[in-house]
Amino acid sequence: MIPREERIHNLVENPEISVLIVGGGINGIGTFLDLALQGIDVVLVDRGDYCSGASAASSHMVHGGIRYLENGEFRLVREAVKERNRLLENAPHLVKPLATTFPIFRWFSGLLNAPLKFLRLIDKPAERGAIVIKLGMLLYDFYTRKQKTVPKHVFKNRATSINQFPLINPDIIFTGTYYDGSMPSPERIALELITDATFESNLAIPMNYMSVVSAKGNQVVLQDEIDRSTISVNPKIVINAGGPWIDQINKSIGLETEYIGGTKGSHIIVTNSELRDAIGENEFFFENEDGRIVLIYPLDDKVLIGTSDIQVDDPDQAIITDEEVRYFIDMVKIVFPTIDVNPSQIVFTFSGVRPLTNSRARLTSQISRDHEIKINEPDEELHFPIYSLIGGKWTTYRAFSEQICDLVLRRLGKDRIRSTKNYKIGGGKDYPSTQVERERYISILLAQSDLDREGLETLFSRYGTKVTGMLNSFDTKNDRQLQFYADLSTAEISHIVQYEDVVHLDDFIFRRTMLGKLGCITSEGLDEIGTIIGQIQGWDDARISQEIKRVIDLLKTRHRMDFNEYIEEH
Ligand SMILES: Cc1cc2nc3c(=O)[nH]c(=O)nc-3n(C[C@H](O)[C@H](O)[C@H](O)COP(=O)(O)OP(=O)(O)OC[C@H]3O[C@@H](n4cnc5c(N)ncnc54)[C@H](O)[C@@H]3O)c2cc1C
């Protein structure tokens, strides 16, 4: 990727562009790649880092959304299951099959609710019983029967379930396990899609820390969030991929819309070895009587617990509350009553707002998770059309992007020349599909590099086959392991900073790596990484301190890592 300054300079010199995408979440990024593959000149801007909005707040599931069947969203579930399978195949280094287990406490509950909810005759939630869950899982298997990317569901009786999960609530009568996908690091998938786009086309220009601030006639004004300077571009089409900020973005360019009715969802990540051992490699999914769900999800050596669904007005104010923390902990108790989860075990929290369509549904869980495109045609004030991307799931980003890209191509009078259906993402290209092939791949790397097997395995698990290219750029002579993060080396950091548009230290901590999410941040560690990145970026001491402070402030304000106070108060 060419340096940021050069990209800005090129835009100043050539402001006439076909497409401007506002918002570097997964929907903006997916559309960016698709347009790049069609050879369209396209600029993607985000006011912050890529994948730092709703796309950084997901439950990390690549899923069909089994529970949406009850709301009658068959089209969405069918599409999402297909896209789940594609992500498993196209990004095998970053998306893995995930066994998802429902603990079931009743036989019949929810049996009448489901069809009545579907027919919109009631909107009362209820805990799901064995029969409703079994029917849902059968339908889910039916949708995926041809591709066979994941195994079929299994129902286990009480004795077998307790045998497999000894700490599960003994009141269960069954467990039902089906398969979805897990993406421990959605941020890396997003980043690899961006680097793919710039690799495929030099007409694709991504720019983080660049906001849209206003527009008039055929001009859109962008503000560089680093030095506050502004530049103008003249797009033929604007795609508003601002997620929960869509209406705000439209307002800033003089368009009054009320497309979004977002709901906040929060998560906590805890270090609790008893809970981690109890779930094994299964996600647990449980819906209680009031329709609220909890998911308990294995994330590396930690456990991710979520999520809530609360109507909010301002997406910038979405942070976790004490009440949500208490709710998550109480819900874990229902599934694993003897395991003590408490706030002192929280290593990270995150919240985000689902960019759902503005809806009259009485319950937030019943607002459609499907996606749609709203088009505002050009007028005297704004001479370009604006396509606002409403809703959508992480899982379905490719299908949504394809739909948008096709509309854009039609408008520009161009034909699709490449499909993204089987497009292998980043380090998923030429990925070894069997253990034998994997071994062969690692052996070749071993023969070609100075790294040991363990180091190579770690890199391979993070970056897939991108490792081959990375190793070529490594300055192996001067490479050294970090003192506070033994599985990171200076060459790896240097590669990420140079090739992955790291502007701030927090981009590296929270989105290029999983250090922040897994609670690996210590003040010595921050100093060490800050200094290394500072050397690469040419930061002086004052800037390094500023960057470190920025990370600490974000941890406190956005991720509420102040739970010691919470414990004292309660
Ligand atoms: C709590 C929660 C759990 C979820 N769980 C899952 C899940 O497990 N699986 C799944 O498939 N989906 C899940 N989703 C849904 C999915 O994450 C979102 O639908 C998806 O990420 C939306 O992406 P987006 O690109 O539309 O929006 P965003 O990711 O929010 O991107 C919008 C971007 O616009 C930028 N922006 C705002 N204003 C401006 C401006 N003026 N100029 C430039 N840029 C601007 C923002 O910085 C932001 O990065 C979940 C969502 C939430 C919130």
Side-chain angles (χ1 to χ4, degrees):
M1 206 184 296
I2 58 174
R4 191 172 189 278
E5 295 72 34
E6 218 173 296
R7 277 175 266 161
I8 295 176
H9 175 78
N10 289 348
L11 266 188
V12 173
E13 296 286 302
N14 306 296
E16 305 291 331
I17 55 175
S18 291
V19 183
L20 172 69
I21 301 176
V22 189
I26 190 54
N27 288 323
I29 292 172
T31 310
F32 180 64
L33 172 66
D34 204 341
L35 288 168
L37 290 172
Q38 316 314 323
I40 304 294
D41 54 314
V42 53
V43 174
L44 170 86
V45 294
D46 196 291
R47 66 171 188 171
D49 192 18
Y50 311 116
C51 201
S52 59
S55 301
S58 83
S59 301
H60 294 51
M61 291 191 291
V62 177
H63 66 150
I66 198 166
R67 72 194 188 95
Y68 311 142
L69 289 173
E70 204 179 50
N71 292 343
E73 298 203 72
F74 299 111
R75 191 210 74 80
L76 171 65
V77 178
R78 201 169 37 236
E79 178 184 77
V81 166
K82 260 195 202 154
E83 292 302 320
R84 175 201 71 189
N85 293 346
R86 288 200 170 110
L87 266 167
L88 282 161
E89 283 169 353
N90 293 337
H93 58 314
L94 294 170
V95 181
K96 308 278 177 196
L98 174 70
T100 304
T101 297
F102 274 71
I104 303 168
F105 296 93
R106 295 158 202 247
W107 269 98
F108 299 108
S109 181
L111 198 55
L112 269 182
N113 286 46
L116 292 177
K117 267 170 78 177
F118 171 55
L119 295 170
R120 304 270 183 259
L121 295 177
I122 61 161
D123 58 11
K124 205 165 101 326
E127 184 187 328
R128 308 291 163 262
I131 294 177
V132 166
I133 292 174
K134 179 81 189 171
L135 287 173
M137 289 185 184
L138 281 171
L139 197 52
Y140 215 62
D141 282 348
F142 179 74
Y143 283 153
T144 194
R145 68 195 183 286
K146 283 195 193 130
Q147 289 146 312
K148 297 196 177 80
T149 328
V150 294
K152 282 185 173 174
H153 83 273
V154 262
F155 248 59
K156 289 187 180 145
N157 64 21
R158 180 174 180 275
T160 319
S161 303
I162 291 177
N163 197 25
Q164 185 181 358
F165 304 110
L167 295 186
I168 201 167
N169 190 333
D171 292 343
I172 52 148
I173 54 172
F174 289 106
T175 57
T177 298
Y178 68 99
Y179 285 80
D180 263 327
S182 77
M183 48 172 181
S185 182
E187 298 83 359
R188 283 223 56 84
I189 305 178
L191 223 289
E192 293 195 4
L193 289 169
I194 289 177
T195 47
D196 280 347
T198 56
F199 172 78
E200 296 284 353
S201 165
N202 53 14
L203 297 177
I205 304 176
M207 207 98 70
N208 49 0
Y209 298 99
M210 185 69 84
S211 304
V212 161
V213 285
S214 64
K216 184 115 189 94
N218 64 350
Q219 274 195 341
V220 178
V221 179
L222 307 176
Q223 176 171 289
D224 187 338
E225 292 300 334
I226 296 165
D227 63 10
R228 300 272 155 180
S229 61
T230 56
I231 57 171
S232 295
V233 288
N234 308 334
K236 289 194 186 116
I237 298 172
V238 170
I239 296 177
N240 182 347
W245 293 274
I246 277 177
D247 292 322
Q248 290 180 16
I249 292 171
N250 280 340
K251 193 168 182 186
S252 73
I253 59 174
L255 200 65
E256 287 295 333
T257 55
E258 285 185 11
Y259 293 149
I260 297 290
T263 69
K264 177 180 81 158
S266 300
H267 296 82
I268 56 177
I269 297 175
V270 298
T271 179
N272 180 318
S273 52
E274 202 182 6
L275 182 61
R276 183 66 190 79
D277 291 346
I279 61 176
E281 293 314 310
N282 284 253
E283 174 194 23
F284 275 77
F285 202 82
F286 174 69
E287 195 165 6
N288 79 354
E289 283 165 0
D290 65 10
R292 294 195 290 179
I293 57 154
V294 69
L295 53 99
I296 310 170
Y297 175 113
L299 188 73
D300 204 80
D301 61 341
K302 308 287 188 304
V303 183
L304 169 73
I305 306 168
T307 176
S308 38
D309 207 351
I310 304 164
Q311 213 121 30
V312 287
D313 293 327
D314 182 359
D316 287 314
Q317 301 306 319
I319 52 167
I320 195 165
T321 61
D322 290 352
E323 199 200 347
E324 286 173 288
V325 173
R326 215 171 297 127
Y327 161 69
F328 295 147
I329 290 174
D330 289 349
M331 291 291 274
V332 174
K333 268 266 176 284
I334 297 180
V335 187
F336 294 104
T338 59
I339 299 181
D340 176 40
V341 178
N342 67 65
S344 70
Q345 299 159 355
I346 297 174
V347 298
F348 196 63
T349 80
F350 57 92
S351 300
V353 174
R354 301 172 183 86
L356 305 180
T357 187
N358 204 350
S359 153
R360 294 218 179 96
R362 260 189 276 165
L363 284 173
T364 50
S365 60
Q366 286 170 359
I367 303 173
S368 170
R369 263 55 176 170
D370 213 341
H371 46 80
E372 63 174 313
I373 304 164
K374 301 268 193 196
I375 303 180
N376 288 82
E377 291 296 340
D379 59 19
E380 282 182 5
E381 297 297 317
L382 297 172
H383 299 171
F384 43 78
I386 298 151
Y387 293 39
S388 299
L389 315 188
I390 318 296
K393 304 197 58 59
W394 229 106
T395 311
T396 52
Y397 85 85
R398 193 213 59 83
F400 195 17
S401 303
E402 184 179 70
Q403 194 186 340
I404 302 145
C405 184
D406 284 341
L407 281 182
V408 168
L409 288 173
R410 207 171 308 149
R411 191 142 202 152
L412 294 173
K414 308 251 173 171
D415 291 327
R416 173 172 285 281
I417 47 180
R418 285 177 75 178
S419 165
T420 50
K421 284 196 176 87
N422 301 313
Y423 184 86
K424 304 285 183 239
I425 298 168
K429 293 181 179 62
D430 302 319
Y431 193 80
S433 58
T434 62
Q435 193 55 31
V436 176
E437 281 180 25
R438 188 180 193 280
E439 267 307 306
R440 197 178 309 135
Y441 180 80
I442 298 281
S443 310
I444 295 171
L445 288 182
L446 261 175
Q448 289 171 351
S449 98
D450 298 336
L451 291 183
D452 60 16
R453 171 170 281 273
E454 199 187 338
L456 282 174
E457 292 271 2
T458 304
L459 288 178
F460 181 71
S461 69
R462 285 181 190 149
Y463 309 107
T465 54
K466 264 180 167 264
V467 175
T468 306
M470 283 177 87
L471 289 177
N472 290 337
S473 79
F474 273 23
D475 173 5
T476 30
K477 255 194 228 133
N478 297 313
D479 191 18
R480 64 172 173 83
Q481 277 187 328
L482 268 61
Q483 185 184 352
F484 296 104
Y485 302 101
D487 68 347
L488 261 185
S489 82
T490 50
E492 183 180 349
I493 296 181
S494 177
H495 182 93
I496 291 177
V497 172
Q498 283 179 50
Y499 293 95
E500 297 191 352
D501 242 357
V502 171
V503 171
H504 287 293
L505 179 57
D506 48 279
D507 302 338
F508 183 86
I509 301 288
F510 296 123
R511 289 169 293 277
R512 304 301 179 274
T513 65
M514 289 178 64
L515 292 173
K517 205 186 281 185
L518 294 177
C520 304
I521 296 306
T522 60
S523 55
E524 296 99 329
L526 260 188
D527 278 347
E528 187 178 23
I529 295 180
T531 307
I532 294 168
I533 295 185
Q535 275 164 4
I536 303 163
Q537 302 278 56
W539 295 341
D540 61 15
D541 287 350
R543 172 78 190 267
I544 295 175
S545 307
Q546 244 177 36
E547 291 291 335
I548 291 174
K549 184 170 179 307
R550 215 180 115 99
V551 175
I552 295 168
D553 286 349
L554 281 169
L555 276 171
K556 281 192 184 148
T557 53
R558 195 153 164 204
H559 303 288
R560 280 234 24 221
M561 289 313 301
D562 56 356
F563 285 96
N564 288 335
E565 289 166 29
Y566 171 84
I567 295 161
E568 276 163 28
E569 281 169 23
H570 296 76

